[in-house]
Each structure stands twice: as structure tokens, then as C-alpha cells.
Amino acid sequence: MMKIKLLLLFLIIGNVFCHSQTHDIEKNIPEHRTYEELEKEFYGSRAGEGNSKSIADSYLKKAKSEKNISHIAEGYVMLHFDEDLPNALKYLDSLQHITQNSKENTYPARTYLLRGNLYFRNDNLQSALNNYILGLKYAKEKGNKRQIAMAHISIAYLNNYIGKHAETAKVLRHYAYDADYMNEVEKNSLKLNLADAYIEINKMDSAYVLIQNGLQDSKKNNDVYRYYQNLGLLGYYHLHSKNYQKAIDGLLECEKYFFTNSSGSKRNQHYTLLYLGKSYAGLQEKEKAVDFFRKIDSMVLKTNYIYPELRDVYTYLIDYYKENGDKEKQLYYVDRFLKVDQVLDTQFRYISRELPRRYDTPELQQEKENITNELTKRKSLFYIVLSLLLISHLLFINFYFKYKKSEKNYKKIAQDLIQSVNENRVGKNKDSEFKKETLSEPLPIENTVNSEDRTTRTISEDIAQTILRELEIFENKDQFLNKGITLGSLAKKIKTNSKYLSEIINTYKGKNFATYLNDLRIDYAISRLANDRKFRSYKIPFIAEELGYNNEQAFTLAFKKRTGTPLSIYLKEIENMSSN
């Protein structure tokens, strides 16, 4: 029984294990993976490394089985990287055919830019330029900023080829630092090539900073390939600075890396040998220099990779064998030089002629148009701003003159008020005596206007006289300065009701209670401010409180409403007249 249980247990475990293995195998089959996973693996490694070819094949097979046009297109792109020129061109032709009706804004510019890069890698610079120009044209039509950038950068490398290093540096610097749509990998590549351009134009400090940053960053991120790219460029930096031994030390490390395990591109291999040869030539170790230059010639014969510095290689070899009297080898390298020089001359003349005509001139025309449009906009904006300034200036002038006129009126009112206060001061005693006499006698109601018209029949003449006498006392004793006075509180004080008091004030004073109280307080303020220097030296909030107001704002508003001039101008005029 125990044996049967164990057997069943082993069968279950074995089944689970086999299922797990089958699941893992299926997961690792490219066709069972997503497009995103395949793309990540393919573009995560450099072309020609690992199983990139099989990944691209599986990607295209999967896309075709699903009839997915956009992914079929991507499959052709992936496949062209690992092929020689003729086959790679076939894949790009297929890409162009399948995307001819594409609504994506990446096509057809992407096809031309890829074709341009392919020709550039295979040293057909004329065809590379033609495709870059077309790629730029279509990228601009679709408004694709990244593709426009890629076209400009690629053309900048061609400018570098014909010796326009300063122009190259300008373009690379812009896209390395001012284009937020470039990713980190692209920016690192731009900075590497920018450092190279800086060395060519003798901006050695700037080049050194970029190289050191590249070395540190690649080491930190364990990017071995980029580390050796920067190390090779550091070798060129030392060569240019005539620190030949330092250059050699670093370049020998690069040689070991770039010539093993298919780690280096043709360019990396050629330029590593070139800089080593030149460094040894700088140390006058001619045999070692010749050794490296002969290796370069062998590689040129195999790869047909031709670049401008080969002229230096062959002239050095020719001079070396001439010095050693080896006519046969001298003749051989003269012949090699002439063949390479013919290719270089053809490419140089074509690029030098076509770049200004087909790229620089249109770009300058576009720039001119942009500048013209910008200036037109600025001109329009200038006139708008000028018009607004003129209008605002006229409004300001108008406001200023109105203000001055108002200020003049305010001053006049203030001066009249002060003069009135001064005149009242002279006749104050007589007025006081007159007021005492009138308070002892009933007020002549009939002398103002018909009492029947001014007061209702409900208030007898005796009551009206009594209220008026109480109001007279209220005014003469400055009781209106007390805070919190209301119609009800005053009516209670003078032993009448609110209705009678309100009617008497409206009839005999010609105003409502609130206006009556305000006018008394402001009239008091006008007089006291003019006569009492100490009182007007107080701050406005204190004065307002003394006059029975709750706050400064209520007082200043009431003052202007009553007098027709602001309190500030009244106080200023008092001081002016006092000093005069």
C-alpha cells in the first residue's frame, strides 16, 4: 500500500515538473512571445550579436501569420541590420512597399533614413546623402521632430567627413543638450561624437570633460562597449595633445577589446589601429607604426572601408619604404594610395558640392523665411504694444489732468472751509450769546415754512419745541461725539419716541437721522482740526474714534461726502496756511 502511495506521489511530481518545463520551453519560443518582448531583446543588443537574426526572423514570421502590417514593417527593419548591402536593400525595399499607404507619421521618412544609414555604413556617402535629404523632406512634411533631428545629425556627420567640424559640433551640441525628445542612449552617442568634433576644432577642455563623463557613466552602468568607445576617444585626445605613451596605453586595451568576440565595428577597429600607428610615429618608433598601418591596409582590402585619414596612412608607408629603398613596396603603396584617393576625392567633391546646394541652401532659405516671419510678427507686436502704450499714455495724461483739476478743486474747497472756520471763530462769542437767547424762547416754527406742510398734525407745537430744544443741547454739548448713538437711544435720552424724533429731524433739519449725526460730527471735525494743532497731529484712526466712528474708512468717506474734498487734502491745506 505504501509503495502505491509513493508511486502516485512520484507520478504527480513528475507530471507537474514536465508541465512546468513544457510551459518554460513554450515561453522561450520566440513565436510565443509578445512583439514588445522580441523588440526589447533585439534592440537591447547590437546588430550581429547573440541570436538577433533568429529573433528578427521569428518576429517577421509571427507578424506575417497574424497579417499585422505595422509589425511586418518592423520585422523588415530588424532583418536589414544583419545583412550585407544587397540583401539589406531588399528588406528596405520591402519595407517601402508595405508602408506606401501607411498613415503613421514615421513613414516614408524612416525608410529613407534607414537606407541612408545603410549606405553610410557601407561607405557610399553619395547615396547616403541623397537618402538623408529625402528623409528630412518627408519628416518635415509629417512634422516628426525626432526624424528631423536624426536627419540633421546624420548630415552633420557628413559635414564632419568633409572637414566642417565646427558646423558638426553646433548641430550635435544642440541635439545633445536642447532636445528633450532624444533618449539617453542617443544623447550618449551624440556626446561621444561631439567630443570627437571638439578635438578637431581644438576645444580640448570641452572634449576632455565629455570623455571623462562618458567613461564614468558607462562604467557606472556597466556599458562595456561604450566604455571602450570613450577610452578610444581618450587615446585620440592624448594623441592630439602629443601625449603619445598615454594614448598607446589606452588604445592597446581598445585593440584587445574591439578585435575579440566581434566586439567592434569596422570604424572602431580602423580608428584604434590608426591612432596606435600615429602614436608610435609620434614616438619615432617607425617599425611599430608601419606594422599598424599595414594592418589597416589589409583591412581596407577586405572591407573596402575608406575614410579621409587613410591618406596619412599611405603617405607614411610610402615615405617609410622610400627611406628604406624598397621600391617594390613603395610602388605598391603608391598604387594603393591612388585608388583610395580617387574614391575619397569623388566622395569629397560630391559631398562638398551637394551638401551646400541640397541641404545648406534650403536650410538657410527656411531659416530666412522663419526669421522674416518672426520679424513680421515682432513688427506687428511692436505696433500693437506701441498703440497700447500710446493709448495708455493718453489715458494717463487725461487722468493726470483730471486729477490735477480735481486736486485744484479739492484745495479750493479745503481753503474755503478753513477760511469759513476762521471767520466763525471771530463771531463765536456773539453766536454763543445769540444761541443762549434763542434756547430760552420757543423756536419760531412759522418763520421757516408753514408748519402744516413741514410736520404732521400728530405732533403738537409744544412737543416739537421741546424736541428741538433738546437737539440744540445735544449739538451744543457735542454729545453727538459719543459712540453708538442710535435714533432710539437719543429719543430715550430726550424723553420722546423714535417716530417723533425722526419726523422732527427730517422736517426741521431736512435730513434723516444718520445724515444729521454724520454732518454734526464732520462739521465738528472741520472746525477742531483747523483750530486744534494737537488734535490734528493724532493719527487718523484715533481722530475717527474721537469723533464717534467705528473705523478710519467710515470717517474719511463721511468727510469727503460732507465737504467735497478728501481729508488728506484738507489737513495738508491747514498745514500750508498755518506755515504761511
Side-chain angles (χ1 to χ4, degrees):
M1 190 71 180
M2 182 63 71
K3 286 182 179 180
I4 294 170
K5 286 182 179 179
L6 286 171
L7 183 62
L8 285 170
L9 180 64
F10 284 132
L11 284 171
I12 291 166
I13 293 170
N15 186 45
V16 170
F17 178 73
C18 289
H19 177 75
S20 175
Q21 273 197 321
T22 305
H23 178 72
D24 289 340
I25 291 167
E26 285 180 356
K27 190 176 179 183
N28 289 324
I29 296 171
E31 287 84 349
H32 294 166
R33 296 162 67 188
T34 65
Y35 291 114
E36 290 75 17
E37 288 172 340
L38 292 169
E39 285 176 23
K40 187 176 180 180
E41 185 175 351
F42 181 86
Y43 289 113
S45 61
R46 290 185 302 281
E49 281 193 353
N51 60 339
S52 58
K53 179 76 166 66
S54 64
I55 293 170
D57 281 328
S58 299
Y59 188 100
L60 184 61
K61 184 180 177 182
K62 177 181 172 71
K64 283 185 174 180
S65 67
E66 295 176 4
K67 296 180 181 179
N68 189 315
I69 301 299
S70 63
H71 288 304
I72 292 172
E74 192 62 40
Y76 287 137
V77 172
M78 293 163 74
L79 277 168
H80 100 279
F81 285 112
D82 292 320
E83 297 291 342
D84 56 19
L85 181 62
N87 287 326
L89 285 173
K90 286 178 183 176
Y91 282 123
L92 292 182
D93 288 341
S94 298
L95 174 67
Q96 188 166 19
H97 175 73
I98 203 168
T99 58
Q100 60 186 346
N101 297 318
S102 175
K103 302 298 181 185
E104 294 181 41
N105 76 334
T106 52
Y107 293 104
R110 188 185 186 195
T111 308
Y112 287 109
L113 293 174
L114 288 170
R115 199 178 276 136
N117 290 338
L118 178 63
Y119 280 123
F120 189 90
R121 291 196 299 272
N122 286 274
D123 309 312
N124 188 339
L125 302 189
Q126 295 97 318
S127 296
L129 175 61
N130 294 338
N131 280 280
Y132 288 146
I133 296 294
L134 286 170
L136 179 61
K137 173 179 175 287
Y138 289 114
K140 283 182 175 179
E141 285 181 6
K142 295 289 182 74
N144 191 312
K145 289 196 297 185
R146 276 184 55 79
Q147 288 185 327
I148 292 169
M150 294 306 175
H152 283 310
I153 291 164
S154 300
I155 292 169
Y157 293 144
L158 290 176
N159 262 324
N160 202 50
Y161 176 85
I162 61 173
K164 293 184 176 182
H165 307 299
E167 290 182 28
T168 302
K170 183 180 177 183
V171 173
L172 299 184
R173 183 169 55 246
H174 168 70
Y175 286 112
Y177 294 103
D178 301 329
D180 55 3
Y181 44 83
M182 305 296 285
N183 62 45
E184 280 305 306
V185 174
E186 291 162 346
K187 286 183 178 180
N188 289 333
S189 176
L190 287 167
K191 288 173 184 177
L192 185 75
N193 287 285
L194 177 59
D196 181 64
Y198 277 152
I199 294 171
E200 297 293 350
I201 58 177
N202 284 313
K203 284 193 171 184
M204 302 301 284
D205 290 341
S206 300
Y208 187 74
V209 169
L210 284 172
I211 294 167
Q212 288 299 324
N213 288 342
L215 286 168
Q216 291 168 15
D217 185 65
S218 56
K219 208 168 188 178
K220 179 182 173 183
N221 292 296
N222 201 27
D223 189 343
V224 181
Y225 184 76
R226 186 159 68 91
Y227 174 81
Y228 280 102
Q229 280 186 308
N230 278 280
L231 187 63
L233 195 55
L234 182 63
Y236 181 45
Y237 169 86
H238 288 311
L239 169 63
H240 203 82
S241 304
K242 298 184 179 179
N243 294 322
Y244 300 119
Q245 192 55 54
K246 276 189 177 181
I248 290 166
D249 293 341
L251 289 166
L252 286 173
E253 287 185 51
C254 292
E255 182 191 17
K256 186 178 178 181
Y257 176 77
F258 287 132
F259 282 88
T260 55
N261 303 320
S262 304
S263 299
S265 63
K266 288 187 296 183
R267 187 185 189 284
N268 289 326
Q269 292 174 345
H270 273 266
Y271 277 94
T272 299
L273 295 181
L274 174 70
Y275 298 151
L276 277 167
K278 285 192 171 187
S279 297
Y280 280 116
L283 292 174
Q284 297 300 312
E285 295 186 32
K286 294 185 178 180
E287 286 75 16
K288 287 186 178 180
V290 165
D291 232 9
F292 283 109
F293 289 154
R294 287 175 64 184
K295 285 181 184 177
I296 290 172
D297 177 56
S298 299
M299 288 171 62
V300 171
L301 285 168
K302 288 178 184 176
T303 63
N304 202 32
Y305 181 64
I306 295 172
Y307 47 98
E309 290 87 349
L310 284 176
R311 288 192 175 100
D312 297 335
V313 170
Y314 288 114
T315 52
Y316 191 90
L317 288 170
I318 290 164
D319 291 340
Y320 175 80
Y321 287 113
K322 184 179 180 181
E323 287 175 13
N324 286 274
D326 192 333
K327 299 290 184 183
E328 189 177 339
K329 286 188 176 177
Q330 182 186 348
L331 182 62
Y332 169 79
Y333 286 114
V334 167
D335 183 56
R336 293 289 299 128
F337 173 82
L338 291 173
K339 286 178 180 177
V340 167
D341 188 62
Q342 185 180 4
V343 175
L344 289 170
D345 189 53
T346 303
Q347 289 184 344
F348 184 88
R349 280 189 286 110
Y350 183 85
I351 301 298
S352 299
R353 182 183 73 247
E354 294 300 311
L355 254 181
R357 185 176 70 84
R358 299 179 60 193
Y359 175 73
D360 294 343
T361 302
E363 286 295 309
L364 285 171
Q365 286 173 343
Q366 183 64 50
E367 191 173 347
K368 179 184 175 183
E369 188 178 331
N370 292 341
I371 292 169
T372 304
N373 291 337
E374 182 66 24
L375 288 173
T376 304
K377 285 179 184 177
R378 285 186 185 181
K379 196 173 181 181
S380 301
L381 184 63
F382 171 75
Y383 284 126
I384 291 168
V385 171
L386 186 64
S387 301
L388 290 172
L389 284 172
L390 186 61
I391 291 166
S392 61
H393 189 64
L394 290 171
L395 288 171
F396 175 77
I397 291 171
N398 185 47
F399 172 78
Y400 177 77
F401 281 111
K402 279 186 176 180
Y403 171 77
K404 282 295 180 184
K405 188 177 179 181
S406 298
E407 189 179 38
K408 190 176 179 181
N409 291 335
Y410 290 151
K411 284 182 179 180
K412 180 71 170 59
I413 293 167
Q415 288 164 3
D416 290 344
L417 283 171
I418 296 164
Q419 189 177 350
S420 174
V421 169
N422 291 335
E423 288 172 356
N424 288 339
R425 194 191 305 160
V426 175
K428 186 176 181 182
N429 294 331
K430 291 180 181 180
D431 289 343
S432 298
E433 291 173 6
F434 175 74
K435 283 178 183 177
K436 285 176 184 177
E437 289 173 6
T438 55
L439 280 171
S440 62
E441 298 175 3
L443 286 174
I445 297 172
E446 64 278 8
N447 290 342
T448 52
V449 182
N450 286 334
S451 59
E452 290 184 24
D453 296 333
R454 302 184 62 183
T455 155
T456 61
R457 293 287 183 185
T458 57
I459 303 176
S460 67
E461 290 182 10
D462 290 341
I463 293 172
Q465 287 294 330
T466 302
I467 293 171
L468 286 170
R469 277 196 296 272
E470 289 297 327
L471 286 176
E472 194 73 28
I473 295 167
F474 174 74
E475 294 173 11
N476 289 335
K477 291 187 177 182
D478 301 334
Q479 292 174 357
F480 52 81
L481 298 178
N482 297 331
K483 251 188 175 183
I485 298 171
T486 63
L487 181 66
S489 66
L490 183 57
K492 190 175 180 181
K493 181 179 174 61
I494 63 176
K495 297 180 177 61
T496 186
N497 60 58
S498 299
K499 184 179 178 184
Y500 283 3
L501 178 59
S502 176
E503 196 164 341
I504 292 297
I505 291 172
N506 274 283
T507 303
Y508 288 93
K509 303 297 181 179
K511 58 191 82 171
N512 61 31
F513 175 74
T515 306
Y516 166 69
L517 189 63
N518 258 326
D519 288 353
L520 287 173
R521 287 172 173 176
I522 297 304
D523 290 346
Y524 175 86
I526 291 167
S527 177
R528 189 170 175 189
L529 286 169
N531 295 325
D532 188 345
R533 185 182 184 90
K534 186 178 179 182
F535 183 67
R536 69 173 177 266
S537 69
Y538 297 148
K539 290 185 177 179
I540 303 300
F542 180 80
I543 295 171
E545 191 174 357
E546 281 286 298
L547 296 172
Y549 288 99
N550 292 324
N551 55 62
E552 176 186 349
Q553 188 180 15
F555 169 48
T556 53
L557 287 172
F559 188 92
K560 187 175 181 184
K561 185 177 180 182
R562 172 67 172 158
T563 63
T565 187
L567 176 64
S568 57
I569 290 180
Y570 181 68
L571 291 170
K572 189 176 179 182
E573 286 305 308
I574 292 171
E575 294 301 326
N576 288 340
M577 292 179 77
S578 298
S579 61
N580 291 335

